[in-house]
Amino acid sequence: MCSSDLVNTTNQTADFNSSAGAQVQVVTKRGTNSWHGTGYEYYFDNHLNANTFDNNFSGTPLASYHYNRFGGAGGGPIISKKILGGKTYFFGNYEGFRWNNSETYEVAVPSANMRAGILTFPDASGNPIQYNLNTGTNCGPTGNVACDPRGLGINPLVQQMWNKFEPMGNDPTCAGTAVTGPLTGTRCDGVNEIGFKGNVAVPYTSNFAVARLDHDFGPKWHFTSSYRYYKLLKSTTNQVDAGGFFSGDTLGTFSALSVRPQQPWYFVAGVTTNITSSTTNDFHYSYLRNYWSWSNPGGVNQFPQLGGALERSEERRVGKECRSRW
């Protein structure tokens, strides 16, 4: 341990300003007259775990992950003899955390029939009916109208986007179930849209370090300073690429693109003076810097041939006022 904790559950004294409720104070250990240290490592792996039923059903392998927490601490006198009335001590602590995390992820993608321009919908009796949008003649209110009266066929740009950036589905059982990821709450029908399921790596890495320097200017004057450093890189599934759009990604392999970096650090220095046996003066200065960021590549570029579109969403009357939204 690199610190001791003091938790007060009642209101604090005047030195804590007007804060109410519980306060937690963390005091970093200081070096002693002899050098002491410790090291540790904790490793956890899931390779002995069984795969989930859903993964086995769709042929998705077990999401591989492990995490490793390791570190060490040590402290002692920097100079063995007294200087300026006393000795100088050092204490340091480091902890690293590596979590090669992986999750099962699923999105809805066009089925092979939909990519070819063939859609399937139930009729009034619930029987599935195929509508070939290229050559079919069973469309329209009477069921005998050409599905593509102008003979244009499927839009080549749409087909290009599907074939280039949409992997083939591997889980038709998504019918009636919510698809995870960005489509949470959206359902694919298992015919026109099916699920694409796979594993996505969402690693978590952090480094934490504490350094403390103390000097005793005699039995009544004590100087202390401490520096704390922390850096966290955490991936999330807020934005996932399965189409190989971004550099280094591969079609059909999930890649988490959003990262949540955090890098706070803290410095404090102070002098404590024992004026009398019942009076102590404490002066300290501290500086805290907290940095965090939401790092996402953003929206993908569209095909240049698509151009733009103006969509009218609705028009309705409320009392004497007519509201239109475009």
Side-chain angles (χ1 to χ4, degrees):
M1 295 294 291
C2 72
S3 63
S4 61
D5 299 341
L6 173 63
V7 180
N8 293 329
T9 58
T10 58
N11 292 340
Q12 303 302 300
T13 54
D15 55 334
F16 288 95
N17 201 353
S18 60
S19 299
Q23 295 281 349
V24 179
Q25 298 172 257
V26 180
V27 181
T28 304
K29 292 174 62 176
R30 59 173 287 173
T32 59
N33 288 324
S34 58
W35 281 93
H36 297 280
T38 183
Y40 62 92
E41 180 176 9
Y42 178 78
Y43 181 86
F44 177 81
D45 199 298
N46 80 322
H47 283 106
L48 297 179
N49 294 357
N51 204 355
T52 64
F53 173 82
D54 290 339
N55 282 3
N56 285 331
F57 189 85
S58 61
T60 304
L62 173 68
S64 176
Y65 70 87
H66 69 269
Y67 64 81
N68 185 20
R69 188 183 298 273
F70 55 93
I78 296 179
I79 303 175
S80 58
K81 64 180 182 179
K82 293 184 178 181
I83 297 178
L84 298 177
K87 297 182 179 180
T88 304
Y89 304 91
F90 173 81
F91 176 83
N93 180 86
Y94 167 77
E95 179 175 280
F97 185 58
R98 306 291 184 269
W99 187 8
N100 187 23
N101 190 24
S102 181
E103 299 177 1
T104 302
Y105 197 81
E106 185 172 19
V107 293
V109 295
S111 65
N113 276 352
M114 185 174 180
R115 295 168 191 260
I118 302 174
L119 301 180
T120 303
F121 298 103
D123 60 12
S125 301
N127 300 313
I129 303 297
Q130 283 192 348
Y131 299 90
N132 192 323
L133 302 186
N134 302 299
T135 60
T137 57
N138 59 338
C139 293
T142 58
N144 60 355
V145 179
C147 297
D148 186 13
R150 294 186 294 173
L152 298 178
I154 188 171
N155 189 307
L157 286 178
V158 173
Q159 198 168 42
Q160 181 183 358
M161 286 189 290
W162 284 350
N163 294 332
K164 187 175 181 180
F165 296 120
E166 295 279 356
M168 295 298 297
N170 58 10
D171 181 22
T173 63
C174 70
T177 61
V179 179
T180 61
L183 299 179
T184 299
T186 302
R187 303 177 186 275
C188 54
D189 57 18
V191 180
N192 302 304
E193 288 183 318
I194 64 176
F196 173 72
K197 181 185 291 185
N199 295 323
V200 56
V202 281
Y204 181 112
T205 300
S206 69
N207 293 285
F208 172 72
V210 174
R212 174 170 172 167
L213 187 68
D214 292 88
H215 183 80
D216 297 331
F217 295 98
K220 294 185 177 181
W221 290 79
H222 309 278
F223 169 81
T224 181
S225 63
S226 178
Y227 178 78
R228 295 168 175 83
Y229 170 84
Y230 182 68
K231 184 175 183 179
L232 167 67
L233 293 176
K234 179 182 179 182
S235 298
T236 73
T237 56
N238 292 68
Q239 187 172 0
V240 177
D241 181 17
F245 180 87
F246 292 93
S247 177
D249 295 344
T250 304
L251 176 66
T253 301
F254 284 122
S255 176
L257 303 175
S258 56
V259 182
R260 301 292 181 260
Q262 300 179 37
Q263 190 172 341
W265 61 266
Y266 174 72
F267 173 77
V268 61
V271 176
T272 301
T273 306
N274 302 115
I275 301 175
T276 67
S277 59
S278 59
T279 305
T280 300
N281 181 70
D282 179 63
F283 169 82
H284 70 270
Y285 167 82
S286 62
Y287 183 85
L288 171 65
R289 176 184 180 271
N290 191 14
Y291 165 84
W292 62 272
S293 173
W294 292 53
S295 178
N296 293 327
V300 300
N301 296 325
Q302 301 295 323
F303 286 86
Q305 301 94 323
L306 288 178
L310 180 64
E311 178 183 356
R312 180 178 181 179
S313 60
E314 71 168 323
E315 179 177 299
R316 59 195 178 99
R317 292 184 178 274
V318 181
K320 297 182 178 180
E321 180 184 3
C322 179
R323 298 179 180 178
S324 299
R325 296 194 294 123
W326 294 78

